[in-house]
């Protein structure tokens, strides 16, 4: 494994050109700025989670995945523990969900994070267009505070 072990990896996913789908990159950029001075934190922001991220996932003690969710009310914030899940037949292998990425890390590198969390914010719209909906914008301070509180025990 080439990746340097890291205490906390934040993987933020989304497309800033698809309305509320951009909440992941927004929070990822916020986290990168907020925790920039801490060498125990690495933030990766991407349009999607992909198998090539498995090495970084395997090297992390804790992973926090951040994404929007279309199955939650707009602006609702959820933080939950994740477990690995095998890739379902027919799933496009260049795009994985967080549980499948955990499973891929275990399969390829024989290791997975001690703890994995998924932070989601309900999307009001993922139609083409820049900017977040009012309900998602209103949820950002609470999401940032939750992320900050989640990070505190990880950073000592």
């Amino acid at each position: 494994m080439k990746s340097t072990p890291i205490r906390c990896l934040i993987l933020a996913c989304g497309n800033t050109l698809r309305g509320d789908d951009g909440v992941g990159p927004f929070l990822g950029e916020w986290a990168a700025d907020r925790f920039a001075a801490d060498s125990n934190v690495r933030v990766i922001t991407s349009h999607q989670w992909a198998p090539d991220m498995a090495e970084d996932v395997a090297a992390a003690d804790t992973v926090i995945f951040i994404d929007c969710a279309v199955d939650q009310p707009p602006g609702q914030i959820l933080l939950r523990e994740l477990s690995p899940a095998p890739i379902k037949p027919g799933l496009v292998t260049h795009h994985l969900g967080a549980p499948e990425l955990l499973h891929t890390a275990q399969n390829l590198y024989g290791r997975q994070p001690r703890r994995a969390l998924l932070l989601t914010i309900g999307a009001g719209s993922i139609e083409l267009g820049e900017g977040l909906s009012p309900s998602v914008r209103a949820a950002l301070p609470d999401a940032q505070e939750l992320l900050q509180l989640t990070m505190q025990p990880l950073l000592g």
Side-chain angles (χ1 to χ4, degrees), residues 44-148:
I44 299 173
T45 300
S46 181
H47 287 284
Q48 60 190 15
W49 295 314
D52 61 335
M53 295 175 175
E55 184 175 6
D56 293 310
V57 169
D61 186 52
T62 298
V63 176
I64 301 173
F65 296 92
I66 304 173
D67 201 1
C68 77
V70 294
D71 60 348
Q72 289 172 217
Q76 181 188 47
I77 302 165
L78 292 177
L79 179 66
R80 63 185 176 100
E81 296 273 345
L82 282 183
S83 298
I87 297 172
K88 297 175 185 114
L91 184 67
V92 179
T93 57
H94 65 276
H95 175 49
L96 301 174
E100 292 82 14
L101 189 51
L102 289 171
H103 181 79
T104 301
Q106 178 66 44
N107 278 352
L108 293 177
Y109 300 99
R111 186 177 186 290
Q112 63 185 3
R114 182 179 50 79
R115 189 169 187 213
L117 301 165
L118 176 63
L119 174 65
T120 54
I121 300 175
S125 172
I126 56 169
E127 297 298 318
L128 287 176
E130 293 186 65
L132 302 173
S133 68
S135 56
V136 171
R137 273 197 317 271
L140 287 174
D142 289 339
Q144 290 166 329
E145 182 179 1
L146 181 58
L147 188 55
Q148 174 72 33

Side-chain angles (χ1 to χ4, degrees), residues 5-50:
I6 193 85
R7 186 172 230 167
C8 184
L9 173 65
I10 296 173
L11 288 178
C13 177
N15 184 342
T16 58
L17 299 177
R18 301 284 314 232
D20 290 341
D21 193 33
V23 73
F26 179 90
L27 286 172
E29 289 173 21
W30 175 85
D33 289 343
R34 176 71 181 88
F35 304 109
D38 195 320
S39 63
N40 289 313
V41 179
R42 180 167 183 219
V43 179
I44 299 173
T45 300
S46 181
H47 287 284
Q48 60 190 15
W49 295 314

